[in-house]
Amino acid sequence: MTTLIVGGSGFLGAELIRQATEAQQTMAATYATRPGNASQAAWYHLDLRDAARLDAVMTEVSPRLVINASSGGADWAVTAQAPIQLAMTAARQGVRLVHVSSDAVFSGARVHYDESRLPDPITPYGAAKAAAETGVLAVHPEAVVARTSLIIGDGGSAHERLVHELAAGTRAGTLFTDDFRCPVHVADLAAALLELASGNSSGIHHVAGPDAVSRHELGVLIARRDGLDAARLPTGLRADSPLSGALDVRLDSRATQCRLSTTLRGAREFCKAPRWPGPSAHE
């Protein structure tokens, strides 16, 4: 039986392929621009807006499980409509589906959000993600919708690259001290998604870390872990910037954590161990 990762060339998709392969699952994955590096997966080009191509890929792969880890930003056709088409196809073929969503579906007005809170997005991206959640569960009630937050790894995520560039002075920007999220490690997130997929869970689940940290604190944690000068990281207030979006969104993942054997670590835990052996390693 085959597992299909939609968006397999992305940061989360690559980790899902790695872990599923280690679990001896037969892997297939899709990409929008270029395939990923995982040779263990059979790769298929897929524009999620192309319903005919989606049907063809699903028919050829004949997966037992589909995990949608794709990202289309604020593009309504990709982020809102395409996941619903994927869910319709999966439901029609009797395929298990896990759809990855985001804390961007919330405005931050309540700060703390468990699975019972209804989406109230304030950005186009958040609105597209919220629409996808509703549509996916409407056409495939047995699907899992997993909301997550900032995804961090061991150097490969967008936020980690930003921190390195800011510390090196090669990029302009600010790490906000008033913008809070609950980051999750990509390995924990992938393991949790595969665990949810393997059971009989359905509906909304929150899969984020237990630590609420500002983007600046997260940057400091990453800098210290990686041996960078955290004092070089520029700070500011998002409330003073022209950027839209929620200031403080804290996903409460305790209900999901109780169902999982996977431990969802907080940023203060998964960033505490130095990645490097010590200064002599760079001399």
Side-chain angles (χ1 to χ4, degrees):
M1 302 294 283
T2 301
T3 295
L4 174 64
I5 309 298
V6 177
S9 57
F11 183 54
L12 173 58
E15 180 63 18
L16 285 164
I17 292 171
R18 186 190 70 79
Q19 291 194 22
T21 299
E22 285 188 351
Q24 299 185 328
Q25 297 181 26
T26 302
M27 297 303 303
T30 74
Y31 65 95
T33 54
R34 60 180 182 273
N37 297 323
S39 60
Q40 306 95 328
W43 288 94
Y44 296 84
H45 178 262
L46 177 63
D47 182 334
L48 275 173
R49 296 167 296 184
D50 185 341
R53 175 60 180 165
L54 172 60
D55 283 343
V57 170
M58 289 284 286
T59 299
E60 181 174 347
V61 174
S62 188
R64 142 191 96 75
L65 164 67
V66 174
I67 300 180
N68 181 21
S70 63
S71 176
D75 187 318
W76 188 265
V78 176
T79 302
Q81 295 174 326
I84 301 172
Q85 181 63 45
L86 175 61
M88 292 173 63
T89 304
R92 185 170 61 250
Q93 297 184 9
V95 175
R96 182 101 168 112
L97 174 66
V98 175
H99 172 72
V100 181
S101 190
S102 167
D103 57 12
V105 301
F106 295 121
S107 70
R110 291 184 176 271
V111 179
H112 299 277
Y113 292 88
D114 63 18
E115 290 87 346
S116 69
R117 295 297 182 187
L118 295 177
D120 60 340
I122 56 175
T123 64
Y125 172 68
K129 279 293 193 180
E133 289 184 359
T134 301
V136 164
L137 292 177
V139 301
H140 196 336
E142 296 179 351
V144 169
V145 170
R147 295 181 184 135
T148 193
S149 190
L150 293 177
I151 306 174
I152 306 299
D154 295 319
S157 71
H159 195 80
E160 289 165 288
R161 291 194 299 272
L162 171 63
V163 169
H164 277 246
E165 291 167 2
L166 290 174
T170 58
R171 178 171 173 175
T174 300
L175 294 178
F176 298 121
T177 57
D178 61 343
D179 186 335
F180 289 83
R181 297 295 186 273
C182 293
V184 65
H185 195 281
V186 66
D188 299 345
L189 175 58
L193 294 175
L194 290 167
E195 190 175 344
L196 288 170
S198 68
N200 58 4
S201 297
S202 62
I204 303 288
H205 290 75
H206 286 182
V207 189
D211 294 345
V213 298
S214 70
R215 291 182 187 261
H216 177 258
E217 182 183 353
L218 179 60
V220 170
L221 290 169
I222 291 168
R224 290 174 177 169
R225 181 197 69 185
D226 295 352
L228 307 175
D229 184 0
R232 293 179 57 87
L233 299 176
T235 66
L237 296 175
R238 183 166 182 166
D240 294 338
S241 80
L243 295 176
S244 61
L247 285 179
D248 196 341
V249 176
R250 309 183 186 201
L251 292 185
D252 183 345
S253 302
R254 288 177 295 179
T256 298
Q257 180 65 89
C258 288
R259 301 185 180 97
L260 296 174
S261 61
T262 300
T263 298
L264 299 169
R265 295 169 292 166
R268 297 184 185 99
E269 180 179 354
F270 64 68
C271 286
K272 67 182 179 183
R275 290 176 57 215
W276 313 117
S280 62
H282 303 289
E283 294 176 355

